[in-house]
Amino acid sequence: MPAPDYLCGVDAAIDVVGGKWKALILWALEPGTRRTGEIRRELPGITDKVLVQQLRELERDGIVHRVVHAEVPPRVEYSLTRSGRELNTALDALAAWGDVNRERIAATRAQG
């Protein structure tokens, strides 16, 4: 599979965090290492399949670190890498904008 040809940094960043769940997964991992079930409880509505898929993609992109502990049953923990923490810092401004504009956006969309 050929490497993507990004037009700019925004293009590359959106490719990494695009979709409904990835930015929310990063938000859930901000406080520290979490197990899959802990992340799922932070994100009502996400299915196990989608959560694991999104975590694997974030791991592939070097945003999330995955550790499997050799126990029965196996314990899997996820944490942000340095790049993941930097990405969360970059998303802070987007989150602030969303907080300021969330009610306006909801009202505009409710009007149809």
Side-chain angles (χ1 to χ4, degrees):
M1 183 160 154
D5 187 20
Y6 296 118
L7 299 174
C8 64
V10 171
D11 191 15
I14 295 300
D15 190 33
V16 171
V17 295
K20 178 176 180 177
W21 296 108
K22 286 183 181 176
L24 295 172
I25 290 168
L26 294 177
W27 169 79
L29 288 172
E30 180 63 30
T33 301
R34 304 278 178 150
R35 294 176 69 179
T36 309
E38 294 172 303
I39 299 168
R40 188 173 48 263
R41 284 188 289 281
E42 293 274 339
L43 305 174
I46 193 169
T47 64
D48 289 336
K49 178 183 176 185
V50 169
L51 176 58
V52 170
Q53 176 187 0
Q54 300 291 278
L55 284 165
R56 292 287 171 98
E57 289 176 13
L58 289 165
E59 181 185 14
R60 175 202 66 201
D61 290 336
I63 304 301
V64 167
H65 179 67
R66 178 177 183 257
V67 175
V68 180
H69 297 275
E71 302 172 355
V72 178
R75 180 169 46 108
V76 181
E77 295 179 326
Y78 295 91
S79 59
L80 294 174
T81 63
R82 172 189 249 166
S83 290
R85 289 188 305 275
E86 291 170 352
L87 184 53
N88 258 1
T89 298
L91 290 172
D92 283 344
L94 186 61
W97 182 89
D99 286 340
V100 168
N101 290 283
R102 136 172 53 187
E103 289 180 18
R104 180 192 58 76
I105 294 166
T108 301
R109 291 188 175 187
Q111 291 175 357

